[in-house]
């Protein structure tokens, strides 16, 4: 556990008296200056507030991007606090990691990081309230019970609401969090039950919740004209026509965060309405200094990759055993080349941020997945102290990793400083959003594997070509040495060659796994065919006996037994036939397994391919192991279904971004399509395998297996291997 999540008994309790006795229990709350000086009763933000009417307000500390964390984390607190869910109202906290610990939405980390700490916060608060009742009534602590926001003494029949005990409870020393008793699983009344998302009614009613909905008195608006070629800068500007538009307040040069500090690669047009700003933007005349950056293109990357794959890798990722010796002695070898494109995030809510700068202080309303990182970036760009920046976390209309990058915060902060005292909202157009993303990097793989006489995998080699410099990959272009099945196979070589690019790259939902799952599970299906078995049988052979593999670096440890169980479960769930499907009637069935973000998922997909090459996904079956508890089952179901559908979109409907002369050419959903409802499968059936391990996250690990399952299903239906994304049946070969 990180130091920011540690707490002393002294710092656990904070008191806030609002409209009567109100008890606030603040877990991981940093002491105020007064408290550190020895003063008691500091008024601080808190996770739990018990109101005089015995209702409970619980603070949700992490950004909400649709993954359900705004509901899930308070469920953990409410369970151990022993209140009814109907008593609870949830409020989003401010971004303040000194007070609340880690606040981010990425890596499927919210559940594993907070599973115990949130429960301990609730349990400690309950313990103090029960102790207050024990003291008041002069009875032993052990003779009391709590539930539904009440403390009860069965022997005397006395009861007390939590609200009535607050004044006494605040005088009690809080217990040590690591010693406070937690409920047994059998006593759970909230954890493991389906709870509607707390924002769902407001979303259905169209109430303003998202960053783009932010409205403040006296607000002005900004549109952005950024250099279309990444890393280019402003050479000359004629902004007179733009400034002449009625309602325009200013045209301000800014730094998007992609060029050195002190350089400018964009112009912000500030006006009394966003429409006015956007119209004035079209009147700007800008000369961009792009130097040699126009050399970068999708076509050039493909040519460079072909050249690289014909040579030896320039960097080594993993080398063990005698791969070449094993391959030369193998009963059969299989070689195949796979590739996938750059991808954008294309969130339905385009990037936006609102800022207000006054008296040296900056306030931001930011739909950020990583607000603390954004605070640090803004502070560095504006030369502000981090504590001079206040961040309101708005709900996020889609993130998928895009909003882990905080360029929109940095840009809005610069714009706000240019018009001090006026709140200003920056909004990207759809074209801005697509052409100024942090893209999932493309990649190429040339794989070779050797099988022995029994069809067992004895050697594996991959030359991976992606993007980077000086022998190191750019962000999200990593191939890990633990990539399945490298840890289990004795003779493996992973080498890499990295190509230069000017494109900024970033994490896309299930980062790296969304590409590697397609490559390795599709290739394993080729090996399974060569071995004369189906893919589940082939993978089970590789897994071998149940065991925990050694930990390598920061990667999650792989448990072969947990992998085996989800594979067996999905095969039973979908009534999988171990015979390789014949493809009769253009119908095929495919399988995929993947371990990522500490989750084990196996998926089976049925698809029909028409004579014209149209692919229809009929049904998907999913089995997942995310540990001992599925905290909010209905939300878990939706997360898995959404991940599967998003994976299909990445694979089958032409999603890619193309670069020409250094710039991205896609501008809207006509050239970067989203999966329409009629193309989505009618059924994504989900089952969970529980295991005796702490629960893990769910936002990402269900996505990677669906892409190879689809590719393998198409092969089963048509005899054509899909080795390139997005999938195109024309030109694919068996």
């Amino acid at each position: 556990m990180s130091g920011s999540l540690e707490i002393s008994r002294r710092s656990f309790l904070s008191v806030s008296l609002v409209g009567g006795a109100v008890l606030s229990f603040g877990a991981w709350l940093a002491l105020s200056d007064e408290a550190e000086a020895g003063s008691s009763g500091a008024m601080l933000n808190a996770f739990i507030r018990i109101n005089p009417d015995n209702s409970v307000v619980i603070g949700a500390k992490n950004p909400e991007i649709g993954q359900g964390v705004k509901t899930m984390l308070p469920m953990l607190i409410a369970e151990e606090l022993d209140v009814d869910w109907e008593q609870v109202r949830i409020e989003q906290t401010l971004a303040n990691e000194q007070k609340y610990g880690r606040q981010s939405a990425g890596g499927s980390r919210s559940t594993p990081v907070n599973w115990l700490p949130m429960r301990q916060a609730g349990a400690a608060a309950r313990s103090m309230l029960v102790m207050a009742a024990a003291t008041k009534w002069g009875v032993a602590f052990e003779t009391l019970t709590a539930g539904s926001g009440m403390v009860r003494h069965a022997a005397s029949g006395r009861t007390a609401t939590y609200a009535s005990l607050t004044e006494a409870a605040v005088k009690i020393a809080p217990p040590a969090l690591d010693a406070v008793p937690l409920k047994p699983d059998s006593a759970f009344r909230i954890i493991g039950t389906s709870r509607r998302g707390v924002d769902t009614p407001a979303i259905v009613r169209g109430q303003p919740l998202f960053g783009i909905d932010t409205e403040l008195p006296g607000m002005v608006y900004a549109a952005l004209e950024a250099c279309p070629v990444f890393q280019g800068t402003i050479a000359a500007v004629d902004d007179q026509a733009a400034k002449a538009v009625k309602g325009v307040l200013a045209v301000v040069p800014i730094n998007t965060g992609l060029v050195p500090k002190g350089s400018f690669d964009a112009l912000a047009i500030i006006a009394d309405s966003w429409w006015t700003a956007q119209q004035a933007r079209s009147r700007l005349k800008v000369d961009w200094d792009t130097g040699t950056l126009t050399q970068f293109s999708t076509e050039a990357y493909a040519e460079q990759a072909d050249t690289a794959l014909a040579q030896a890798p320039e960097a080594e990722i993993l080398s063990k055993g005698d791969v070449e010796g094993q391959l030369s002695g193998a009963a059969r070898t299989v070689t195949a080349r796979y590739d996938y494109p750059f991808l954008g995030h294309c969130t339905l809510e385009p990037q936006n941020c609102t800022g207000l700068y006054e008296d040296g202080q900056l306030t931001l309303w930011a739909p950020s997945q990583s607000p603390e990182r954004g605070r640090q970036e803004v502070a560095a760009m504006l030369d502000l102290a981090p504590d001079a920046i206040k961040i309101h976390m708005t709900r996020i209309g889609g993130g998928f990793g895009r909003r882990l990058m905080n360029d929109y915060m940095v840009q809005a902060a610069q714009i706000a400083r240019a018009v001090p005292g006026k709140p200003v909202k920056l909004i990207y157009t759809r074209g801005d959003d697509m052409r100024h993303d942090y893209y999932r990097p493309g990649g190429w793989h040339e794989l070779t594997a050797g099988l022995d006489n029994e069809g067992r995998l004895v050697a594996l080699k991959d030359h991976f070509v992606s993007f980077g410099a000086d022998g190191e990959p750019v962000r999200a272009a990593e191939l890990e040495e633990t990539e399945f099945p490298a840890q289990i196979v004795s003779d493996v070589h992973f080498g890499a060659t990295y190509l230069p690019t000017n494109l900024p790259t970033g994490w896309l939902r299930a980062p790296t796994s969304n590409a590697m799952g397609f490559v390795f599970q599709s290739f394993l299906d080729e090996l399974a065919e060569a071995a004369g078995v189906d893919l589940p049988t082939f993978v089970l052979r590789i897994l071998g006996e149940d065991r925990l593999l050694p930990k390598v670096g920061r990667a999650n440890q792989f448990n072969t037994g947990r992998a085996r169980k989800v594979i067996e479960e999905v095969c039973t769930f979908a009534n999988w036939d171990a015979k390789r499907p014949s493809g009769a009637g253009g119908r095929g069935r495919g399988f995929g397994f993947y371990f990522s973000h500490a989750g084990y998922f196996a998926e089976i997909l049925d698809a029909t391919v028409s004579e014209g090459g149209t692919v229809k996904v009929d049904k998907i079956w999913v089995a997942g192991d995310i540990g001992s508890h599925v905290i909010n089952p209905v939300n878990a179901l939706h997360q898995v279904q959404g991940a599967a559908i998003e994976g299909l979109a990445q694979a089958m409907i032409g999603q890619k971004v193309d670069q020409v002369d250094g710039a991205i050419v896609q501008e809207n959903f006509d050239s970067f399509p989203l999966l329409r409802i009629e193309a989505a499968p009618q059924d994504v059936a989900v089952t969970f395998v529980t295991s005796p391990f702490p629960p893990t996250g769910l936002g990402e690990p269900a996505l990677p297996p669906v892409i190879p399952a689809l590719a393998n299903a198409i092969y089963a239906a048509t005899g054509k291997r899909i080795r390139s994304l997005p999938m195109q049946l024309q030109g694919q070969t068996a």
Side-chain angles (χ1 to χ4, degrees):
M1 187 175 293
S2 68
S4 64
L5 293 180
E6 293 175 358
I7 179 173
S8 68
R9 294 177 68 189
R10 176 171 170 261
S11 65
F12 177 72
L13 182 64
S14 67
V15 184
S16 175
L17 298 177
V18 181
V22 179
L23 178 62
S24 294
F25 295 94
W28 314 296
L29 291 181
L31 292 172
S32 69
D33 292 339
E34 289 183 0
E36 288 176 349
S39 175
S40 61
M43 296 180 64
L44 302 172
N45 291 318
F47 284 112
I48 303 168
R49 186 168 74 246
I50 300 172
N51 294 322
D53 63 359
N54 213 37
S55 63
V56 180
V57 177
I58 297 179
K61 74 183 186 71
N62 279 17
E64 174 60 67
I65 52 173
Q67 82 282 40
V69 73
K70 189 175 178 181
T71 304
M72 183 273 290
L73 292 184
M75 285 175 67
L76 301 179
I77 294 174
E79 179 68 78
E80 296 289 351
L81 182 60
D82 254 332
V83 294
D84 293 336
W85 190 244
E86 293 71 22
Q87 293 176 255
V88 173
R89 182 165 58 86
I90 296 172
E91 292 181 355
Q92 186 74 60
T93 71
L94 293 173
N96 190 330
E97 290 196 351
Q98 282 189 317
K99 291 185 175 182
Y100 301 112
R102 184 177 185 268
Q103 292 177 287
S104 66
S108 296
R109 294 293 298 155
S110 291
T111 297
V113 166
N114 293 292
W115 167 248
L116 282 179
M118 293 289 99
R119 291 176 61 200
Q120 289 168 341
R126 180 192 69 224
S127 176
M128 296 169 68
L129 289 160
V130 173
M131 182 57 73
T135 302
K136 179 179 179 180
W137 295 333
V139 299
F141 180 94
E142 295 77 13
T143 64
L144 300 177
T145 59
S148 300
M150 304 278 291
V151 178
R152 297 175 177 83
H153 185 235
S156 65
R158 283 177 289 190
T159 64
T161 64
Y162 282 180
S164 69
L165 296 168
T166 55
E167 290 190 47
V170 299
K171 300 173 184 177
I172 296 171
L177 292 188
D178 57 1
V180 67
L182 300 176
K183 284 184 175 182
D185 295 357
S186 60
F188 287 165
R189 297 185 301 114
I190 295 175
I191 293 174
T193 64
S194 291
R195 304 291 171 171
R196 181 182 65 188
V198 296
D199 286 340
T200 300
I203 292 171
V204 171
R205 291 192 294 265
Q207 291 179 224
L209 291 171
F210 299 91
I212 204 168
D213 296 325
T214 303
E215 293 292 335
L216 298 168
M219 176 177 283
V220 296
Y221 302 83
L224 193 71
E225 177 71 10
C227 183
V229 178
F230 291 99
Q231 300 177 24
T233 55
I234 297 171
V237 178
D238 180 354
D239 59 7
Q240 294 306 305
K243 287 180 176 178
V245 174
K246 183 180 179 181
V248 170
L249 304 177
V251 177
V252 181
I254 66 168
N255 183 317
T256 67
L258 294 177
V259 295
K261 187 175 177 179
S263 300
F264 301 102
D265 59 344
L267 291 160
I269 303 90
I270 307 170
D272 58 6
S273 75
W274 185 81
W275 178 254
T276 299
Q278 185 66 11
Q279 295 306 301
R281 171 185 175 180
S282 66
R283 302 190 182 192
L284 286 171
K285 296 180 181 179
V286 188
D287 292 330
W288 302 105
D289 181 3
T290 57
T292 61
L293 297 169
T294 55
Q295 68 181 303
F296 296 108
S297 72
T298 300
E299 184 177 347
Y301 295 146
E303 293 173 355
Q304 294 165 27
D306 281 340
T307 300
L309 288 172
Q311 302 171 0
E314 296 178 351
E316 191 168 275
I317 297 171
L318 173 64
S319 181
K320 64 175 183 175
D322 180 9
V323 173
E324 297 302 332
Q326 287 285 0
L327 290 174
S328 64
R332 183 166 183 178
T333 60
V334 178
T335 297
R337 184 179 292 187
Y338 284 81
D339 66 86
Y340 45 86
F342 279 94
L343 280 180
H345 296 81
C346 298
T347 60
L348 284 182
E349 179 193 24
Q351 309 316 303
N352 65 88
C353 186
T354 298
L356 172 62
Y357 184 85
E358 52 186 354
D359 300 326
Q361 304 288 308
L362 177 68
T363 303
L364 296 171
W365 289 261
S368 170
Q369 291 180 242
S370 182
E372 186 57 38
R373 185 183 294 130
R375 185 196 309 275
Q376 299 303 320
E377 293 172 7
V378 169
M381 182 64 74
L382 270 63
D383 294 319
L384 282 177
D387 60 7
I389 304 169
K390 181 179 182 180
I391 302 173
H392 296 269
M393 294 188 293
T394 67
R395 190 177 173 102
I396 303 169
F400 317 117
R402 171 62 179 94
R403 286 178 160 101
L404 289 167
M405 316 308 296
N406 291 292
D407 48 322
Y408 46 89
M409 291 178 67
V410 173
Q411 295 156 18
Q414 294 172 76
I415 298 167
R417 187 169 61 176
V419 285
K422 292 182 180 293
V424 56
K425 178 161 62 176
L426 167 67
I427 306 175
Y428 282 26
T429 66
R430 180 62 60 196
D432 295 335
D433 203 35
M434 289 192 172
R435 290 184 283 108
H436 296 280
D437 201 343
Y438 283 74
Y439 304 94
R440 193 283 304 273
W444 297 259
H445 295 255
E446 186 161 278
L447 300 115
T448 301
L451 304 174
D452 65 14
N453 287 322
E454 296 179 348
R456 296 183 182 275
L457 179 61
V458 295
L460 178 64
K461 182 171 69 171
D462 182 23
H463 183 178
F464 171 48
V465 176
S466 192
F467 297 89
D470 302 322
E472 295 295 329
V474 295
R475 183 190 296 114
E478 301 88 356
L479 169 61
E480 301 293 343
E481 60 181 296
T482 55
E483 183 63 45
F484 181 82
Q487 274 192 284
I488 301 174
V489 180
S490 58
D491 296 83
V492 180
H493 185 266
F494 288 167
T497 300
Y498 300 116
L499 310 177
T501 182
N502 70 322
L503 292 183
T505 61
W507 300 283
L508 178 66
R509 188 177 187 179
T512 71
S513 304
N514 51 47
M516 301 303 170
F518 160 65
V519 170
F520 282 88
Q521 286 289 304
S522 298
F523 184 59
L524 286 178
D525 193 58
E526 298 198 48
L527 301 183
E529 182 181 37
V533 297
D534 66 328
L535 182 53
T537 299
F538 192 72
V539 173
L540 290 172
R541 282 183 183 178
I542 294 172
L543 290 171
E545 64 181 356
D546 293 359
R547 65 202 185 280
L548 185 64
L549 299 183
K551 183 170 177 57
V552 177
R554 298 178 60 186
N556 291 303
Q557 280 188 278
F558 186 88
N559 187 311
T560 62
R562 297 178 72 180
R564 175 179 295 278
K565 286 180 181 177
V566 297
I567 293 170
E568 293 172 342
E569 178 66 23
V570 82
C571 288
T572 300
F573 191 32
N575 194 27
W576 173 272
D577 187 343
K579 296 179 182 178
R580 295 194 66 86
S582 64
R587 299 188 67 186
R589 171 169 275 202
F591 168 87
F593 160 78
Y594 209 74
F595 169 67
S596 70
H597 301 84
Y600 299 78
F601 277 82
E603 305 182 16
I604 290 171
L605 181 148
D606 281 358
T608 301
V609 183
S610 72
E611 291 185 3
T614 300
V615 178
K616 180 179 182 297
V617 177
D618 302 311
K619 185 171 180 177
I620 303 171
W621 292 262
V622 181
D625 177 355
I626 54 170
S628 57
H629 294 83
V630 179
I631 296 167
N632 188 355
V634 68
N635 185 70
L637 172 66
H638 295 162
Q639 285 294 296
V640 173
Q641 291 174 330
I645 290 170
E646 186 175 351
L648 295 179
Q650 292 178 11
M652 67 183 286
I653 60 169
Q655 282 193 354
K656 62 188 177 76
V657 291
D658 298 302
Q659 189 178 13
V660 176
D661 296 333
I664 296 298
V665 299
Q666 276 75 13
E667 290 193 295
N668 216 315
F669 292 128
D670 59 338
S671 54
F672 191 96
L674 300 183
L675 194 72
R676 301 284 182 170
I677 191 168
E678 64 270 13
Q682 290 189 353
D683 190 7
V684 180
V686 180
T687 187
F688 288 100
V689 177
T690 57
S691 58
F693 300 92
T696 55
L698 192 53
E700 291 161 299
L703 186 150
V706 77
I707 302 177
L710 174 60
N712 297 337
I714 292 172
Y715 176 72
T718 66
K720 295 181 178 180
R721 284 286 176 194
I722 302 295
R723 298 191 181 101
S724 182
L725 296 181
M727 295 177 177
Q728 302 265 340
L729 285 182
Q730 301 300 320
Q732 299 291 340
T733 59

